[in-house]
Amino acid sequence: MKFAFVNPNWSFTGSTYFGCPYPHYPLELLFAYDQVRKAGSNALLIDAQVGNLSTTEVAPTIRDFSPDFLVIPTAPSYLFWRCPPPELRIPQEWFRALGGSGVNVAIGPHPSATPGATLRKLQCDVAMRGEPDQTLAQLASKAWGDIAGCCWRDHQGEHISAELGVTDMKALTCLDFENYPVELHSHRHHVFSGKGRGAELEFARGCPWSCTFCNKTLFRNKFRERSVEAVLVEIDRLIARGVDYIYFIDEIFGVGTNVVSLLEGIAERPVKIGFQTRIDLWTEETLDLLGRAHCISMECGIESITEAGREELNKNCRIDTGRIGELLIHARRRIPWVQANLVLAHREADR
């Protein structure tokens, strides 16, 4: 069987999308590519956004490859599954232009939340709920009804799975990036000065908190870590190809004890890092370690400057406002960019 993975050349004209418009590594496609190859199928990966390619330019390659399965995401990389473009205009255009005699498969936040509507709007054959890293490869070998999160339509109607795909992060092999144009990717996510070549990686997936404003329940929900060794191997491979900045797409970077070992390994390497986190996961000692690990961008979800506001948002913050301020100040002394995000809570809006 042959799988073609295509990241569209995303355009946000007229959209209410508020994520970053620049290209980011389509990690979900890279992981799925490796799983497909591991299962014995052939695979092709095209990132049309980083290559600035149109459907007209991509179509001949897809036609020559003649895939059994054409896979297109409905959001630009795992990083923005939590805040995707609400409309499906771009995947509609790409399925319409590239879809042939094979099976058209949609992945992403839209099929995870509303698989039936996604099947109808995209006129695709399959919509995968949840994380597709491992489940996509199963389309070639298992009955679709036995695949977690697999929804499809046929002459009998729509078949909607109540399950969600959940990836075993320890089973994901190290990405070698031989199938990806690393050198075309220059964007350094959440860095606002200087120059360099950026990349995105993933150490852990999911979040153990349930803040009321966060859209992560239907995918990337359960907290799981990859091995430190696997991530350090990926970092070394990217450094060898000229990458000098890595942004971790983890929902909450810094959960668990293994992150200390990862940071100690990064500290020994010529690479800078960035991520989003909670400030109550850190201490002065671990913030000092972040400084030694060349962290230059730290985005913290504070959400409210009052205990009452954080309680309303179900933050379950483990420290008070004064301690939050102390840690943010200490972080800023070690890290060039420290951002504290706030959300307007009802109690504060009424003041």
Side-chain angles (χ1 to χ4, degrees):
M1 291 288 187
K2 293 188 288 186
F3 287 75
F5 301 99
V6 179
N7 188 38
N9 192 353
W10 295 93
S11 170
F12 309 107
T13 302
S15 174
T16 58
Y17 173 67
F18 56 89
C20 179
Y22 294 101
H24 301 82
Y25 281 38
L27 292 174
E28 67 276 33
L29 300 184
L30 290 165
F31 284 130
Y33 178 102
D34 284 357
Q35 294 296 309
V36 161
R37 294 288 298 272
K38 182 180 178 181
S41 293
N42 196 4
L44 169 73
L45 190 149
I46 298 175
D47 187 343
Q49 187 178 21
V50 77
N52 194 26
L53 302 173
S54 66
T55 56
T56 302
E57 292 170 306
V58 171
T61 302
I62 298 297
R63 184 172 58 248
D64 292 343
F65 185 67
S66 186
D68 298 289
F69 299 93
L70 171 65
V71 180
I72 296 178
T74 65
S77 96
Y78 263 149
L79 181 57
F80 297 110
W81 278 36
R82 298 186 299 279
C83 51
E87 72 285 341
L88 289 167
R89 174 175 55 88
I90 296 301
Q92 279 177 338
E93 293 175 0
W94 284 72
F95 271 125
R96 189 181 304 120
L98 304 182
S101 58
V103 176
N104 292 335
V105 184
I107 63 172
H110 302 82
S112 295
T114 54
T118 301
L119 287 167
R120 294 188 294 274
K121 289 181 179 180
L122 296 183
Q123 292 294 295
C124 59
D125 305 296
V126 174
M128 303 297 288
R129 301 191 70 209
E131 302 164 17
D133 313 73
Q134 293 172 310
T135 55
L136 282 169
Q138 298 171 9
L139 291 172
S141 59
K142 296 180 67 173
W144 291 354
D146 295 333
I147 302 174
C150 182
C151 308
W152 74 97
R153 60 176 191 160
D154 55 24
H155 64 281
Q156 295 179 335
E158 295 177 354
H159 307 264
I160 305 300
S161 172
E163 295 183 271
L164 297 166
V166 180
T167 300
D168 178 0
M169 299 299 287
K170 297 290 187 183
L172 295 182
T173 53
C174 297
L175 299 173
D176 60 21
F177 305 103
E178 292 300 319
N179 59 344
Y180 193 75
V182 169
E183 290 74 15
L184 293 180
H185 189 286
S186 59
H187 174 61
R188 298 189 301 162
H189 187 68
H190 216 261
V191 176
F192 308 102
S193 63
K195 297 180 180 179
R197 176 172 292 149
E200 291 84 36
L201 288 182
E202 182 177 30
F203 173 53
R205 186 177 297 182
C207 176
W209 286 273
S210 298
C211 303
T212 56
F213 55 85
C214 184
N215 178 31
K216 55 104 181 176
T217 304
L218 296 174
F219 42 82
R220 300 179 61 85
N221 189 37
K222 179 183 176 183
F223 180 76
R224 294 143 288 157
E225 285 182 329
R226 300 179 66 204
S227 75
V228 171
E229 294 74 18
V231 177
L232 289 177
V233 168
E234 292 175 350
I235 291 174
D236 288 335
R237 288 170 174 170
L238 290 172
I239 291 173
R241 292 179 64 177
V243 170
D244 58 11
Y245 171 79
I246 291 178
Y247 184 86
F248 286 96
I249 72 165
D250 307 25
E251 279 77 9
I252 300 291
F253 186 84
V255 178
T257 58
N258 289 329
V259 72
V260 172
S261 298
L262 176 65
L263 291 172
E264 289 172 343
I266 293 173
E268 299 173 353
R269 290 163 166 80
V271 65
K272 300 178 176 66
I273 63 170
F275 53 83
Q276 55 186 335
T277 187
R278 292 171 58 116
I279 195 63
D280 58 334
L281 294 175
W282 304 90
T283 64
E284 282 83 358
E285 291 74 23
T286 53
L287 289 171
D288 290 343
L289 175 55
L290 282 178
R292 295 195 301 275
H294 327 296
C295 178
I296 62 172
S297 179
M298 180 182 187
E299 183 181 3
C300 302
I302 306 299
E303 275 54 86
S304 174
I305 60 173
T306 68
E307 281 83 358
R310 293 192 293 275
E311 181 181 353
E312 181 181 351
L313 296 169
N314 198 34
K315 285 290 293 184
N316 286 318
C317 187
R318 299 180 293 187
I319 56 179
D320 61 22
T321 301
R323 180 61 175 154
I324 288 175
E326 292 174 357
L327 290 173
L328 287 173
I329 291 171
H330 192 88
R332 182 59 185 84
R333 290 170 178 158
R334 303 295 185 273
I335 300 166
W337 182 272
V338 178
Q339 178 174 319
N341 296 335
L342 298 175
V343 174
L344 184 63
H346 291 303
R347 295 183 186 179
E348 291 159 351
D350 293 338
R351 292 184 179 182

